[in-house]
Amino acid sequence: MTVQEETRATDSDTAEAAFGVFFSEHHARLYRALVMVTRSPHEADEITQEAFVRIWAKWDRVSGMESPDGYLYRAALNLYRQRGRQAARLVRLLASWPGEAREDALDRLGELDTLQRLVLQLPPRQRAALVVTEYLGYDSAAGAEILGIQPGAVRMLVSKAKAQLREEGMSQ
C-alpha cells in the first residue's frame, strides 16, 4: 500500500468514526422530532434514514460546517416537504381514477393521516417551527436557517401554534 493509499484509508476511517458519533448523537432526537412533524413513526423512520444517507454522502463538506446538526434537520424537513408534494400529486392522480382502486388508496391515506394529539393538528409550518424551537431547542435564528424562513416568521409561527394549543386546552 502506498503512502497516499494509507492516508486515504486513515482519513476514511476517521470520517467514518466521526459520522458514527454524529449519527449516535442525533438519530433518536431527529426521529422523535420527525414523528411529531409527520404524525407517522414509519414515515419518520424512513425520512430519518434517508436524511442520514444524504448527510453521509456529503459528510466531507457537512462535517466542516458550523452547524452540521442544523443541516441534518433542514435536510430531513426538506425530505418531508418533498414527500408532501409527492402525496399531493398522488391524491390528484387518484382523484382522476375511476372505481375501487381510488377508494381503497384514499382510505389508506386517510388512515395514515389520523391525528393522535393536538400538536399533530397544527398546520405543518406551525408544527415544524414548534418542533424545531421547543422540542429541539434551537433559537429562532437557527430555526429559521433549518426551516428556510426568516427568524421573525419562526417566532410568529411558534406564537400562533402556542396560542392554538392554549385555545384547545393544552397550555404549558
Side-chain angles (χ1 to χ4, degrees):
M1 187 180 268
T2 67
V3 172
Q4 287 178 334
E5 290 171 334
E6 286 179 18
T7 302
R8 276 190 230 126
T10 303
D11 290 346
S12 176
D13 292 344
T14 303
E16 192 171 321
F19 182 79
V21 169
F22 178 78
F23 179 88
S24 297
E25 290 176 353
H26 296 284
H27 181 271
R29 192 169 181 217
L30 175 63
Y31 170 75
R32 288 190 304 264
L34 286 170
V35 167
M36 287 191 272
V37 170
T38 66
R39 302 176 306 234
S40 167
H42 302 293
E43 185 175 13
D45 186 47
E46 289 177 11
I47 294 171
T48 299
Q49 289 177 33
E50 180 66 22
F52 275 108
V53 166
R54 290 184 180 196
I55 296 300
W56 173 244
K58 299 175 182 179
W59 185 244
D60 57 328
R61 286 191 348 237
V62 174
S63 63
M65 291 179 171
E66 184 177 322
S67 178
D69 55 327
Y71 187 83
L72 170 69
Y73 292 111
R74 184 171 186 161
L77 290 171
N78 284 342
L79 285 166
Y80 170 65
R81 286 188 208 102
Q82 181 182 30
R83 284 174 168 245
R85 288 188 296 270
Q86 289 170 344
R89 283 192 297 270
L90 176 63
V91 168
R92 285 192 302 273
L93 177 65
L94 290 173
S96 67
W97 285 0
E100 292 179 31
R102 179 186 71 212
E103 292 169 13
D104 292 343
L106 289 174
D107 286 343
R108 282 186 299 229
L109 284 175
E111 291 169 9
L112 292 174
D113 200 40
T114 302
L115 299 176
Q116 298 293 320
R117 298 180 274 161
L118 288 174
V119 171
L120 301 178
Q121 294 175 350
L122 294 170
R125 288 173 41 107
Q126 288 180 13
R127 188 171 56 247
L130 189 69
V131 167
V132 167
T133 58
E134 297 298 317
Y135 181 75
L136 296 175
Y138 288 98
D139 63 18
S140 58
E145 187 175 323
I146 291 167
L147 296 171
I149 58 178
Q150 296 295 316
V154 172
R155 289 188 293 273
M156 180 200 63
L157 289 168
V158 169
S159 176
K160 285 183 177 184
K162 286 181 176 181
Q164 185 171 338
L165 291 175
R166 277 192 298 276
E167 195 175 289
E168 297 292 330
M170 290 299 293
S171 61
Q172 292 178 336

